Amino acid sequence: TPVVYSLQKVAKSVVFVCGIICSMKFPITRREDAADVMHGQTIVDHYRFLEDGESGEVKEWVQVQNEFTDTNLRTKTFDIFVKELADDFRVTNFSNPVICKEKYFYSERQAGQEQFAIYVKEGIHGVPVKIVDANGMNEENTISIEYWFVSKTGKYLAYGLASGGEEMPTLYVKNITDDSIVDEIPRCKAAQVCWLSDDSGFYYKRNLEEGSVPQNEEHLHSKVYYHQLGTSYKNDPIIFGIGRPKDDIISLSI
């Protein structure tokens, strides 16, 4: 089948690259004797110093590694390998449909596109209508759809957009009927949206505001809020999460 043939081509490309890698003489990386005792077990970490990205030694190590990689891989065969992989993965991808009131919602990234778009069809044989298209939203084409949730009546779509892999999407709510944006809620990482049956509002996850948590904890401290459609998110009450550990992973359902 085409899928098996494509996988065979990818496998051959991987074997080719592995052969190149096995013949390389890599730069030497120094080792240190850093260790921790956890639950009675000694955990040795010979390369802990590499975690300090601001260290002059680490910056020099990165430069040497990059130069080594470019010298050995960016040869005339590199372009062949890139083309093979690009051709093999330049196919249409789509999600399973979400069925609501005989409407079929799904996301799809067509061959040659970098980002997904969300579509709806009236019935299984209906004409696809594009609701949200992340392609071309910015000049670099780095805005992506991170998640999406259809309301119970199929009138609204809640979806998250993130730019450049920032991992802190903004949640938007669109009225599918008139294509208008009803709400915009920032800092909704890995959000789950649980709509009420009458579409009047929903429960969702949101991270705390920047500056209100310690540095490097901006992606933690997730809380559950309730949002009434058409109101300011700043007034949304916290439903769950106060006093909970900062690294809780919360899953919502009604």
Side-chain angles (χ1 to χ4, degrees):
T1 66
V3 173
V4 172
Y5 174 69
S6 180
L7 290 176
Q8 288 174 339
K9 290 174 65 181
V10 172
K12 290 179 180 178
S13 300
V14 171
V15 170
F16 172 74
V17 171
C18 287
I20 295 177
I21 293 175
C22 290
S23 64
M24 293 179 181
K25 294 183 179 180
F26 291 88
I28 297 175
T29 302
R30 77 170 179 88
R31 293 156 59 98
E32 63 179 13
D33 295 328
D36 294 303
V37 178
M38 304 182 68
H39 307 289
Q41 299 293 322
T42 300
I43 310 299
V44 179
D45 185 358
H46 293 302
Y47 305 104
R48 181 174 297 174
F49 71 96
L50 290 175
E51 296 179 6
D52 183 5
E54 299 302 318
S55 164
E57 179 187 9
V58 174
K59 290 181 179 179
E60 182 179 351
W61 180 89
V62 171
Q63 182 178 347
V64 170
Q65 295 293 327
N66 287 338
E67 291 174 353
F68 174 79
T69 300
D70 289 341
T71 300
N72 286 275
L73 292 186
R74 291 192 179 276
T75 62
K76 61 180 181 180
T77 56
F78 180 80
D79 293 335
I80 298 174
F81 179 65
V82 170
K83 183 180 183 305
E84 281 288 320
L85 282 181
D87 290 343
D88 289 337
F89 288 98
R90 193 176 288 117
V91 295
T92 297
N93 289 270
F94 53 89
S95 70
N96 289 330
V98 174
I99 305 172
C100 180
K101 306 293 183 180
E102 298 183 356
K103 295 181 179 179
Y104 286 72
F105 296 83
Y106 63 97
S107 60
E108 180 176 293
R109 186 187 67 204
Q110 297 178 1
Q113 291 184 331
E114 295 187 25
Q115 305 296 345
F116 276 85
I118 302 174
Y119 298 82
V120 63
K121 296 196 302 184
E122 291 283 354
I124 188 65
H125 300 296
V127 177
V129 176
K130 192 181 298 182
I131 307 172
V132 180
D133 188 358
N135 291 283
M137 280 192 170
N138 65 357
E139 186 176 351
E140 298 80 12
N141 203 20
T142 56
I143 295 178
S144 59
I145 300 172
E146 300 296 306
Y147 48 77
W148 53 276
F149 301 89
V150 182
S151 69
K152 297 297 183 180
T153 67
K155 181 179 180 180
Y156 299 100
L157 178 74
Y159 58 95
L161 295 180
S163 178
E166 63 186 351
E167 297 186 359
M168 190 57 74
T170 297
L171 190 155
Y172 295 89
V173 179
K174 172 172 282 193
N175 185 328
I176 299 173
T177 305
D178 59 14
D179 201 40
S180 63
I181 300 296
V182 179
D183 287 310
E184 181 177 336
I185 307 175
R187 300 190 58 74
C188 295
K189 177 186 178 184
Q192 290 175 292
V193 174
C194 293
W195 286 90
L196 299 185
S197 58
D198 60 358
D199 287 0
S200 61
F202 52 81
Y203 296 94
Y204 70 104
K205 293 192 299 182
R206 188 173 89 230
N207 294 74
L208 296 181
E209 298 293 328
E210 287 188 280
S212 64
V213 297
Q215 188 176 5
N216 299 323
E217 293 186 6
E218 294 84 356
H219 289 72
L220 304 174
H221 301 279
S222 181
K223 310 297 179 188
V224 178
Y225 295 81
Y226 170 72
H227 179 73
Q228 184 175 343
L229 209 62
T231 65
S232 172
Y233 74 91
K234 296 180 179 180
N235 299 324
D236 291 350
I238 294 182
I239 303 301
F240 179 81
I242 296 178
R244 295 289 306 171
K246 62 185 178 182
D247 55 353
D248 265 0
I249 299 177
I250 303 172
S251 180
L252 309 182
S253 65
I254 296 180

